[in-house]
Amino acid sequence: MTILVDRDQGISSPALVPAEGDLARDRGELTIGLINNMPDTALKATERQFMKLLQAAAGPRRIRFHCFSLPSVKRSPEAKWHVESEYSDLADLKRQRFDGLIVTGAEPVAPELNQEPYWRDLTDLIDWAKANTRSTIWSCLAAHAAVLHLDGIERRRLPAKCHGIFDCEAVTSDPLTHATPAPLKVSHSRLNEIVESDLVPAGYEVLTRSAQAGVDVFTRQYASRFVFFQGHPEYDALSLQREYLRDVGRYLARERENYPLLPVSYFDAATEEKLARFEKRVRHERHPALSNDLPALNLRSDIAAGTAAAALFRNWLQFLGADADASVLAR
């Protein structure tokens, strides 16, 4: 799937892209690829979130937005049909040079990252992106996989899931965090972490961190500038709610042992009280049908979903655009 993202015209229908990227760059366009490996339930939502982010951040530029997915990510028949009919073939990715690439995580199915069925495809992509993009964003599990492949840095298991909206602060001056809100409110949803004491000696630069959630955004320079997100700045206001309800459903269906913790700084106080009562009830009457009795959910008024992502992606596209303009002028 190739989409033209235009701030003034919105997101158009699929459009053909020239085989060579130079013509697009001469028109002030940027070519961005999304490698969407998110679970089936989040597949289409992730497409929409990133397209809206790029649309809002694009300024006067047009974005050629291509969707891909690693073929080794396991899919349901419905999701597989969507990928095969709407996404570009991954082989097409390597036939042209992309200005920027965004690579999402995937739902873990193996005890270790290097045992995942998509590990070989993902590491091939990491190696290719180092020399064939101006910058690549690695999100959540993809960030953990990339630093493991690049530098052997192992992620560490957390005692409890890091799940909620966390206040992050910029800790160094960098174009990516220019004019970002303070604090940056960023969604995190993960069972593991990469710690700063492992990253810095290996040559990574931490840009933002949270007192509660730890490292948020960090970078490393190759021929491409690699940007790593431990969190999910692209999440919309209801993303964490959907994940929480999914996990509650899995608990009721006995697909997971532990009842999920509430997302941090997310639901309002009245909702948290109702959910605590519901949790107490279902621990004694565990049954899938009880999901119909979940209370109405209201979010806190200050979650500011998307504000951090809007600033981060605006700065990222400006970085890509400045580099593209310099390349055109040099010819």
Side-chain angles (χ1 to χ4, degrees), residues 26-286:
D26 285 339
R27 294 197 302 264
E29 295 179 355
L30 295 173
T31 303
I32 308 294
L34 170 67
I35 315 297
N36 186 2
N37 305 310
M38 292 292 278
D40 296 350
T41 54
L43 185 69
K44 294 181 182 179
T46 300
E47 293 170 23
R48 293 192 298 269
Q49 288 164 1
F50 280 111
M51 281 194 288
K52 288 181 179 178
L53 272 174
L54 291 170
Q55 179 188 14
R61 291 187 179 272
R62 289 187 174 188
I63 307 295
R64 296 284 176 171
F65 182 69
H66 305 240
C67 285
F68 305 86
S69 186
L70 296 180
S72 45
V73 172
K74 293 183 178 180
R75 298 286 183 197
S76 68
E78 180 182 0
K80 186 177 181 181
W81 178 87
H82 176 73
V83 168
E84 290 178 348
S85 60
E86 298 293 336
Y87 282 26
S88 299
D89 190 286
L90 193 64
D92 295 337
L93 179 70
K94 300 181 180 181
R95 295 193 181 110
Q96 62 177 303
R97 183 179 174 87
F98 278 69
D99 296 297
L101 198 65
I102 303 164
V103 184
T104 78
E107 190 166 20
V109 297
E112 300 294 337
L113 277 174
N114 58 10
Q115 298 171 5
E116 294 288 354
Y118 49 79
W119 179 251
R120 178 62 180 273
D121 285 342
L122 184 56
T123 55
D124 285 349
L125 177 65
I126 294 166
D127 293 336
W128 177 86
K130 287 170 67 175
N132 292 280
T133 65
R134 293 192 171 98
S135 181
T136 296
I137 290 174
W138 305 93
S139 175
C140 203
L141 182 141
H144 293 175
V147 299
L148 175 61
H149 174 62
L150 293 166
D151 293 287
I153 297 174
E154 298 274 358
R155 61 183 186 170
R156 304 185 186 188
R157 186 75 173 186
L158 292 166
K161 185 176 184 179
C162 178
H163 191 221
I165 305 283
F166 296 91
D167 288 351
C168 301
E169 62 173 344
V171 295
T172 187
S173 178
D174 188 272
L176 195 65
T177 55
H178 174 70
T180 52
L184 290 90
K185 291 184 176 291
V186 180
S187 298
H188 281 250
S189 181
R190 51 189 166 82
L191 296 169
N192 302 276
E193 70 171 344
I194 300 293
V195 298
E196 190 165 352
S197 58
D198 289 339
L199 291 170
V200 173
Y204 295 83
E205 182 177 18
V206 173
L207 302 190
T208 65
R209 73 165 74 94
S210 161
Q212 289 179 278
V215 173
D216 180 44
V217 179
F218 56 103
T219 64
R220 180 150 190 189
Q221 186 67 48
Y222 298 96
S224 172
R225 189 180 200 211
F226 276 12
V227 179
F228 305 87
F229 293 163
Q230 276 215 102
H232 288 278
E234 82 282 0
Y235 270 13
D236 62 31
L238 295 179
S239 293
L240 291 175
Q241 176 175 300
R242 289 191 291 267
E243 287 191 7
Y244 176 74
L245 293 177
R246 177 202 66 193
D247 289 345
V248 169
R250 288 177 175 176
Y251 173 82
L252 295 176
R254 301 183 184 275
E255 295 173 2
R256 59 175 288 158
E257 182 179 352
N258 299 318
Y259 195 87
L261 298 174
L262 286 172
V264 173
S265 301
Y266 186 64
F267 294 119
D268 67 16
T271 297
E272 289 190 347
E273 290 178 8
K274 293 176 185 177
L275 288 171
R277 291 195 296 270
F278 179 80
E279 177 184 352
K280 185 176 181 180
R281 174 189 171 189
V282 301
R283 285 185 181 276
H284 297 286
E285 307 175 35
R286 192 173 179 182

